[in-house]
Amino acid sequence: MKGLIGKKLGMTQVYDKNGTLNPVTVIEAGPCKVTALRTAEKDGYSAIQIAYGTRKIKNVTKAVRGHVKAAGLEDTPPQFIREVRLDEDPTAAVGETLTAGIFADSEYVDVVGISKGKGFQGVVKRHHFAGGLASHGGGWIRRGGSNGMKARPGRVIKGHRMAGHMGVDRVTVQNLQVVQVRNEENLIFIRGSVPGPIGATVMVCAARKK
Amino acid sequence: MNTIQKLHKENLKTTLPQFGVGDTVKVDVLIVEGDKERTQAFSGTVIARKGCGIAENITVRRVLHGQGVERIFPLHSPRIAKIEVVKRGRVRRAKLYYLRGLVGKASRVEDAANQQV
């Protein structure tokens, strides 16, 4: 297991060597510095903590600057710090730099991002309700129907699907294929779409279920 | 120029001839036969040109044995070896879908060389 934090640059199409056209999302992944290690013995689980981007020193607390000091990022504090869970204890050292080259062509990855905000949405878009008939005297087109029973239980059951805010959720897309890696430009081409708008921060990890 | 535009540019073909809807073209397509590669030509009238940049494609129509055949070619695909303009046509539509409903002499596109000025 391995992972990188990156930025979604947008989508395009690339031809592979057989001439097949692939829709790809281009992600500028890394370089990320390892800021901490988690081991099963000490922390109860295995992970590496990686940092990406930069912030102004005046915008960062001293605690954060102190935390990333071991990785040599005291004067260029990172914008994002995330942990990537590993199956075994990490072999990387604190301060090591991870680049897009840790992924290879045709490898499978999971991508975690924050989905685009959709605002307040009805049940048809938000929960895929069918809605009513458009014709034959419909008159009940995109509504949710009954919210539940009457006197017993006399309330709406928790978790009942209704209209409300949609989007801006943490979304993971699993088993996307890497089409191309350009290590010197820090670019990863991933087949298909990934959550979030252009410019959004995403995390690319090795696929869990492959 | 952002990275996506740069990526587009490096995949664009620069040697494509100038042609438009109504023109008759010959498209050489690379096909794999066993372990050998050869080109196969398909010629016909361009009835539509869609998309832009790397995603641009053309629809080429011809009538074979009384049966209309249409093929869609992505212009910038490495499988398209060559595109050759055979004849220029004079048309007044961007999409020539009306040709599908016509047969025989009526389904021809007027030659641009015969155009009255």
Side-chain angles (χ1 to χ4, degrees):
Chain A
M1 297 287 283
K2 53 199 173 181
L4 279 179
I5 309 171
K7 195 168 96 174
K8 174 174 166 179
L9 295 183
M11 289 192 73
T12 179
Q13 302 176 332
V14 291
Y15 290 96
D16 65 15
K17 60 179 188 299
N18 300 323
T20 315
L21 193 55
N22 285 314
V24 295
T25 306
V26 183
I27 292 175
E28 189 184 64
C32 296
K33 280 228 167 169
V34 178
T35 52
L37 306 172
R38 305 275 181 249
T39 57
E41 190 192 329
K42 204 168 133 238
D43 308 286
Y45 65 98
S46 304
I48 51 167
Q49 193 182 66
I50 52 176
Y52 173 72
T54 52
R55 295 180 75 184
K56 287 180 182 170
I57 290 175
K58 68 173 176 117
N59 292 338
V60 185
T61 61
K62 281 181 183 164
V64 171
R65 286 185 69 191
H67 176 71
V68 297
K69 194 174 173 182
L73 295 173
E74 199 187 4
D75 297 323
T76 52
Q79 197 178 359
F80 300 98
I81 300 176
R82 297 281 185 277
E83 273 185 17
V84 181
R85 285 292 279 264
L86 307 173
D87 292 334
E88 291 160 1
D89 281 353
T91 50
V94 171
E96 205 173 296
T97 308
L98 304 178
T99 59
I102 62 169
F103 293 106
D105 289 0
S106 69
E107 199 177 328
Y108 284 90
V109 292
D110 295 342
V111 180
V112 186
I114 305 288
S115 63
K116 281 185 183 176
K118 302 284 192 294
F120 191 101
Q121 292 298 333
V123 286
V124 174
K125 188 182 175 98
R126 195 172 181 225
H127 299 298
H128 302 138
F129 281 19
L133 295 170
S135 64
H136 301 293
W140 179 86
I141 296 177
R142 295 180 71 92
R143 310 223 310 241
S146 167
N147 279 350
M149 293 64 76
K150 206 185 174 190
R152 256 196 306 270
R155 61 184 171 87
V156 177
I157 290 169
K158 269 190 184 175
H160 191 265
R161 294 174 297 170
M162 291 192 203
H165 184 267
M166 186 183 172
V168 204
D169 300 315
R170 182 190 152 108
V171 176
T172 307
V173 183
Q174 293 179 326
N175 302 332
L176 296 173
Q177 198 172 18
V178 174
V179 175
Q180 212 182 95
V181 177
R182 296 192 183 180
N183 198 14
E184 64 283 0
E185 295 167 85
N186 294 316
L187 298 181
I188 300 180
F189 294 45
I190 293 174
R191 190 168 204 280
S193 56
V194 306
I198 290 172
T201 305
V202 292
M203 214 158 94
V204 185
C205 305
R208 281 182 156 224
K209 297 184 181 171
K210 280 276 175 184
Chain B
M1 201 193 297
N2 68 30
T3 315
I4 296 283
Q5 285 165 333
K6 256 182 230 160
L7 293 172
H8 274 154
K9 220 168 176 189
E10 70 187 56
N11 288 310
L12 287 181
K13 283 184 192 169
T14 51
T15 52
L16 286 175
Q18 289 255 332
F19 67 96
V21 170
D23 295 350
T24 306
V25 292
K26 185 167 148 259
V27 184
D28 287 343
V29 194
L30 288 170
I31 56 166
V32 178
E33 234 172 38
D35 50 356
K36 273 191 284 183
E37 253 189 6
R38 65 177 187 90
T39 61
Q40 188 184 52
F42 185 87
S43 52
T45 314
V46 180
I47 63 163
R49 193 165 172 164
K50 286 182 174 181
C52 62
I54 191 78
E56 190 168 6
N57 61 54
I58 56 171
T59 306
V60 181
R61 176 182 172 87
R62 73 170 304 177
V63 178
L64 285 168
H65 307 296
Q67 179 67 53
V69 178
E70 284 180 17
R71 284 186 72 177
I72 300 170
F73 299 106
L75 282 184
H76 297 280
S77 164
R79 293 250 144 239
I80 308 292
K82 203 174 101 188
I83 296 179
E84 199 181 310
V85 184
V86 179
K87 202 172 79 181
R88 303 274 177 192
R90 193 184 90 90
V91 289
R92 299 172 70 163
R93 300 279 179 279
K95 305 281 185 283
L96 307 183
Y97 298 142
Y98 68 87
L99 291 180
R100 291 169 178 167
L102 303 176
V103 286
K105 280 191 170 183
S107 67
R108 290 172 308 171
V109 171
E110 197 187 333
D111 196 334
N114 300 337
Q115 193 177 347
Q116 306 281 321
V117 182

